[in-house]
Structures are given as structure tokens and as C-alpha cells.
């Protein structure tokens, strides 16, 4: 029953190991047994030693480390807001419909992506891999590599199947370097079912689910609103898809962008969810980004998780 602290762009520029250890020790006190750390082209170029130090500090403090490959070809999320530098430098791999997205069928992009994943998992003592929100999963492209494979009129289903297979192949590359990793994938709540259902049959994948919020949010001073789907809205779909593909369930709590005064709303929503649901792998942001009351948000989320996830029976809806 893993509980993972989700961290994006954490400590890879101002590198202070004692502060890393302080954070990782606090995660353990909160009840986390793992931490998910983003890894982008920026880390691959400028923070190789920093990431190694970070992984070592986390292990020293008793945490498993899951890597989040970030913005690979624009086809995955992770740390915001970044574009894929490699793709900018290789325009022939861009989809004509959206130049910020690589064509999954393009041979040059595929080679680079596999090399990136191999290096990440061969060079670092990692315990897990998290595929964060595959992007444009049913984007129909007329890129030459796509039409060469599917003919002049590819379908959204062609794109969904090809993307899922690509993730399966990248997962195999990661597992070839580090066989015992736990592999998690979560989709955006708006992702089409033809893709999310296919993900349940990806070989080498352990956990599958969605992310989502539990209260209204805002970016700054505008009025709070429901900006994202709420996680409970996708729980039954998570359970059904996981059961169909023999996967374990996952959920990521989006405890970020919470305006002042909405901590009770967040607490109420998360409590209601965890009273009836028990994901096999649960994750939440460790001090989520852009909260108006960071300490209050963090304290509320940890309190609810301790009471209704870590201390409660697991005979709820998995």
C-alpha cells in the first residue's frame, strides 16, 4: 500500500543536501514511504550530480524513489511549464498539427526517448517509474511516419493504440536497466476511454489511475472555481479499467492552487473519498504548488490520509 510524496522540480538548482534530508525525513514522519521526483531534459543536462545526491538522500531517509520523466517530446506531463528542447531542435519529428508534440511513430524521436529512459534508469538507483498524464493521446496526425504506418487516414483509435504500445516499449527499456521497479501511470480525467482502457493492458505496468482535485482552485486573485475534474468522479472508471487489465489502482490528490479559506472544502472532499475508496497506491503533493495557505493545506491533507487511509481497513473499494 504505497504512499508517495509527489514533488516537481525539487531542489535541483539550489542544491543543499541538508535541506533535502530535512524534507525527506519530514515525509517519513508524515507517513510517506516513497517520493516521486521529476526528471526533465534540464536535469539530464545540468543536474546529473544533484539528482544523484537527491536520490541518495531520499534512500538515506528511508524513502523509495520514483522518477517522473518530464515533457518527453511534449507527450507527457511532469514539472510545468516546460517544452521539449530536443523537439525544438528536431522539427522533422514534430507533428504538423501541433509542433509542440512529437510524432510517436517518428524513428528519430523514438530512438531519443528510449535513450533518455535508459540513461535515467541505468545511471540512478531508482525504485519506481511514474508516467504522468500522457498528452494528446488520440491526436490524429498526418506526419509522414504516421501515414506510412497507418495509411492516409489514421483514426483516433490507431493513435491511442500506438501511444499505449510506445509507453509499453519505454517501460520495457526502463525495466531492462532496473528490473524491480514499480511502474505507475495516471491519466488526465478528460482522457478518452479508448486510451485509458488500453492502458490497463500495458505490459510491465503495475498501477493505473487518474489525478484530480477535491475543492475549488484559483491561480492567483481571481474567484475560486472548479478548474479541474474531481478525483472521485473517475474512481469507478479506475476500478473497472484496472480490473479488466489486472492492474492495481492509483490515485493522485491534486492538493495545489487552493485559495485562502478553502481548506475545509478540501478536507471535506478528501475525507469523503477516502471513506469509501482505498487506492492500492496513493499519492499527494508534498506542499503542493501555489497554495495560499501552504501549511494549513499540507496539515489537512496529511491528517485526512493518516486517519482514513493509513489507519483504516483496506476492505473499501480498491
Amino acid at each position: 500500500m504505497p504512499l508517495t510524496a509527489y514533488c516537481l522540480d525539487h531542489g535541483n538548482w539550489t542544491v543543499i543536501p541538508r535541506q533535502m534530508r530535512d524534507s525527506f525525513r519530514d515525509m517519513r514522519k508524515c507517513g510517506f514511504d516513497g517520493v516521486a521526483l521529476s526528471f526533465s531534459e534540464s536535469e539530464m543536462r545540468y543536474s546529473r550530480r544533484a539528482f544523484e545526491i537527491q536520490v541518495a538522500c531520499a534512500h538515506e531517509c528511508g524513502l523509495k524513489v520514483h522518477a517522473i520523466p518530464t515533457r518527453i517530446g511534449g507527450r507527457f506531463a511532469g514539472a510545468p511549464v516546460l517544452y521539449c528542447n530536443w523537439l525544438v531542435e528536431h522539427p522533422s519529428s514534430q507533428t504538423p498539427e501541433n509542433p509542440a508534440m512529437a510524432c510517436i511513430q517518428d524513428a528519430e524521436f523514438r530512438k531519443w526517448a528510449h535513450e533518455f529512459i535508459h540513461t535515467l534508469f541505468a545511471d540512478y538507483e531508482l525504485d519506481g517509474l511514474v508516467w504522468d498524464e500522457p498528452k494528446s493521446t488520440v491526436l490524429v496526425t498526418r506526419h509522414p511516419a504516421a501515414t506510412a504506418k497507418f495509411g492516409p487516414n489514421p483514426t483516433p483509435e490507431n493513435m491511442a493504440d500506438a501511444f499505449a504500445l510506445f509507453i509499453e516499449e519505454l517501460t520495457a527499456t526502463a525495466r531492462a536497466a532496473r528490473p524491480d521497479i514499480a511502474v505507475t501511470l495516471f491519466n488526465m480525467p478528460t482522457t478518452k476511454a479508448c486510451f485509458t482502457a488500453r492502458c490497463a493492458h500495458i505490459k510491465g505496468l503495475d498501477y493505473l489511475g487518474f489525478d484530480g482535485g477535491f475543492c475549488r482552485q484559483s491561480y492567483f486573485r481571481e474567484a475560486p472555481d472548479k478548474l479541474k475534474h474531481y478525483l472521485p468522479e473517475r474512481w469507478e472508471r479506475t476500478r473497472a479499467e484496472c480490473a479488466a487489465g489486472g492492474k492495481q489502482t492509483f490515485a493522485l490528490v491534486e492538493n495545489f492552487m487552493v485559495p485562502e479559506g478553502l481548506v475545509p472544502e478540501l478536507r471535506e472532499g478528501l475525507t469523503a473519498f477516502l471513506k469509501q475508496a482505498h487506492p492500492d497506491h496513493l499519492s499527494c503533493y508534498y506542499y503542493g504548488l501555489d497554495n495560499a495557505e501552504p501549511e494549513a493545506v499540507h496539515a489537512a491533507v496529511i491528517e485526512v490520509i493518516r486517519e482514513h487511509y493509513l489507519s483504516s481497513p483496506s476492505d473499501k473499494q480498491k
Side-chain angles (χ1 to χ4, degrees), residues 34 61 64 82 117 128 182 186 194 248 303 306:
C61 296
K64 293 183 178 181
L82 302 170
I117 294 300
F186 66 91
C194 66
Q248 298 182 80
E303 182 180 321
R306 281 174 170 166

Side-chain angles (χ1 to χ4, degrees), residues 80-232:
V81 173
L82 302 170
Y83 290 95
C84 178
N85 289 334
W86 183 91
L87 190 60
V88 172
E89 296 167 355
H90 297 78
S92 63
S93 298
Q94 299 169 1
T95 58
E97 295 78 9
N98 184 349
M101 298 285 167
C103 175
I104 297 298
Q105 289 73 41
D106 180 74
E108 193 173 10
F109 167 64
R110 294 172 69 88
K111 179 176 182 292
W112 174 76
H114 278 280
E115 289 173 350
F116 187 98
I117 294 300
H118 171 77
T119 299
L120 174 56
F121 283 87
D123 284 2
Y124 298 105
E125 298 286 337
L126 296 168
D127 306 290
L129 161 62
V130 179
W131 295 118
D132 183 328
E133 290 188 346
K135 299 294 187 184
S136 299
T137 55
V138 295
L139 171 68
V140 175
T141 178
R142 264 71 178 186
H143 186 282
T147 56
K149 182 174 180 62
F150 298 115
N153 295 300
T155 66
E157 290 74 22
N158 290 151
M159 300 295 107
D161 288 344
F163 202 161
L165 180 59
F166 180 56
I167 295 172
E168 183 175 298
E169 293 166 348
L170 290 176
T171 299
T173 292
R175 284 196 179 277
R178 207 156 294 277
D180 296 330
I181 55 172
V183 182
T184 300
L185 185 152
F186 66 91
N187 285 295
M188 294 183 292
T190 55
T191 304
K192 298 293 185 184
C194 66
F195 179 76
T196 61
R198 173 65 178 81
C199 287
H201 301 278
I202 291 176
K203 294 176 184 176
L205 185 66
D206 299 301
Y207 301 98
L208 177 66
F210 294 90
D211 58 355
F214 289 89
C215 69
R216 291 168 294 160
Q217 298 166 300
S218 68
Y219 289 94
F220 194 30
R221 292 172 180 159
E222 69 277 13
D225 200 359
K226 184 180 178 181
L227 301 180
K228 297 174 177 287
H229 285 271
Y230 291 172
L231 191 52

Side-chain angles (χ1 to χ4, degrees), residues 216-268:
R216 291 168 294 160
Q217 298 166 300
S218 68
Y219 289 94
F220 194 30
R221 292 172 180 159
E222 69 277 13
D225 200 359
K226 184 180 178 181
L227 301 180
K228 297 174 177 287
H229 285 271
Y230 291 172
L231 191 52
E233 297 168 1
R234 291 294 182 266
W235 182 241
E236 287 304 318
R237 182 169 158 189
T238 299
R239 295 180 65 228
E241 291 177 348
C242 287
K247 299 296 187 282
Q248 298 182 80
T249 57
F250 173 78
L252 172 59
V253 177
E254 290 191 326
N255 49 313
F256 57 70
M257 292 167 47
V258 179
E260 185 175 0
L262 265 68
V263 173
E265 185 177 314
L266 169 64
R267 180 191 292 273
E268 181 181 355

